[in-house]
Amino acid sequence: MFPKSLRAAVPWLGLLLAACDPGSTPAPAAVTSSRRAPLHSAEFAEARAALEAGHGDLALRLLERVPGFEAELLRARAELLGGDAVRALAAVERARVFDALHPEVAGTEAEILAALQRVQAAADVLTAGFQKNGPEPPLLRAQGVVELMNQGHAVQALEALERARAKDPELPFLKWPLAQAHLLVGREQLEKNPAEATIHAQAARRIVPELLDAIELEAEGCAGELRFREALQCYSELEARGRDFGETPAILQQRWATRCLLERDRAGALEHYLAARALGLSDEGLGFGVELLRAETEAAVERGIAAAEAEDWSGAEREFARALELTPGDLEAENHLAVARFRRADYRGAAAAWEHVLARAQARATELPDPVPLNLAKAWRLAGEAGKARAVLSQLLDREPEGPLSEPARELLVVLEAEAMAEHK
């Protein structure tokens, strides 16, 4: 029920609250504990759940015309969620009439004042609360909430909140501040001790599974530990929930590839360089990865040619496809792939590859050593697509009516016309 970022420059606050907490430092005055029962009644379970989820309007409807001590304290939190601080504090005062000594009164009031950025007033309320009651769970919870506002006091906040949970595991309104405390402590640890940051991020997620900032911290912590798989899983989860991290996942794939190289895992490095590129990392970002991918492309082409010379066309197709995966758009690899498919009688597959080769060559104004348009027309003809074959040949003759391929193109057109006439008879 409080803002995600609770901060104020109050360097004395932690010392003051510690002095008021008999659990850490002897109290300056005698403590008379009221030892009131914790507020866990089933009667208000639905209202508490609504408040924990941030639905103050629903809680107010559930509490409408409901009198009593616990109802007033819950109503105070609901009014605060609705933005009405005056009504919230008025509800606390009504609760105080029922039981002024109950630690939930001071705890709730201090948390409301903290949410209103009235830090000194919140500290004063806690001082009196600790002196009257000792370290009761609601007061420890409130101490943690107020410490979250004190820059650099995340550890103290976490300690207070953990003590509150240890004393009362069912204490309501503890999950959110406790998760925030873990998150802040983890952030403080991230640079120097990423493993510790990861631990706190995971603790925050266990408390509030939907806390996206905790998932992000876990991703950063895992990345700092070089646990790239876990980090990328976290980023994938965040992206599925609508958060965009730009090139971060791609950069992690590139770093993972570098680690594989250091471990002499060339295959793993290639896999992660490919993943980095698929995620949008530029050749500049890939760095040495570009050279590695090019070298592996050339090696795959050489293996494919060797397989083709041995008339192992399946092996050849596999190697040329790998080369094309490593370097998309490589004209040589895709042309070889088309040849291998043609020799395997996969005419549609061959035609699809030659279509790509022809389109890219024309876009780049690149001269092809092989008669790709003729090969493409032959592949379409054998695939039973005579119309597509004629279109390819007609386009070739339009571009180069007297070119080196014009005569064989006309001859193939004659063959296609003869086959078409034979079909109609």
Side-chain angles (χ1 to χ4, degrees), residues 64 84 146 148 152 202 218 246 286 335 354 357:
E64 191 173 4
D84 196 327
V146 178
L148 285 173
Q202 292 170 340
E218 183 177 356
L286 286 173
N335 186 57
W354 272 319
V357 172

Side-chain angles (χ1 to χ4, degrees), residues 197-419:
T198 302
I199 290 171
H200 283 288
Q202 292 170 340
R205 290 189 66 179
R206 285 193 294 273
I207 298 165
V208 183
E210 67 275 13
L211 185 57
L212 299 189
D213 288 344
I215 304 175
E216 183 175 353
L217 177 60
E218 183 177 356
E220 294 176 32
C222 288
E225 294 182 72
L226 306 184
R227 292 164 52 192
F228 298 113
R229 188 184 308 280
E230 293 92 331
L232 287 163
Q233 287 172 344
C234 288
Y235 281 120
S236 178
E237 181 178 352
L238 287 166
E239 288 177 349
R241 297 191 184 190
R243 285 201 178 181
D244 182 14
F245 291 92
E247 288 191 334
T248 299
I251 292 171
L252 286 182
Q253 290 283 4
Q254 191 270 347
R255 290 176 57 194
W256 196 352
T258 300
R259 183 180 181 183
C260 287
L261 285 178
L262 294 173
E263 296 172 348
R264 301 183 183 277
D265 179 6
R266 184 182 179 91
L270 287 168
E271 175 189 346
H272 297 299
Y273 279 131
L274 284 172
R277 188 172 63 192
L279 289 169
L281 198 62
S282 65
D283 284 354
E284 182 180 358
L286 286 173
F288 175 71
V290 175
E291 297 180 26
L292 185 64
L293 291 170
R294 172 53 62 183
E296 188 61 26
T297 299
E298 293 172 356
V301 168
E302 290 177 4
R303 293 192 300 269
I305 291 173
E309 289 174 347
E311 297 191 358
D312 175 10
W313 297 109
S314 294
E317 180 182 9
R318 184 169 55 253
E319 293 296 344
F320 294 138
R322 173 61 172 169
L324 200 59
E325 178 189 10
L326 293 163
T327 307
D330 186 286
L331 293 179
E332 179 187 18
E334 192 147 25
N335 186 57
H336 289 330
L337 177 63
V339 171
R341 287 175 176 173
F342 190 91
R343 296 300 295 269
R344 283 203 315 104
D346 178 10
Y347 302 120
R348 287 189 177 276
W354 272 319
E355 288 273 17
H356 293 159
V357 172
L358 186 59
R360 290 193 182 99
Q362 290 173 349
R364 302 173 189 175
T366 301
E367 186 175 345
L368 294 166
D370 288 353
V372 172
L374 281 180
N375 292 339
L376 174 57
K378 291 175 183 178
W380 281 131
R381 172 183 171 238
L382 292 171
E385 300 284 356
K388 291 182 178 180
R390 282 194 294 271
V392 170
L393 295 170
S394 297
Q395 291 167 9
L396 169 61
L397 290 171
D398 288 342
R399 289 194 306 271
E400 303 176 42
E402 302 300 329
L405 300 179
S406 59
E407 190 59 32
R410 290 189 179 93
E411 292 175 358
L412 186 52
L413 274 174
V414 170
V415 172
L416 289 168
E417 290 301 325
E419 289 176 347

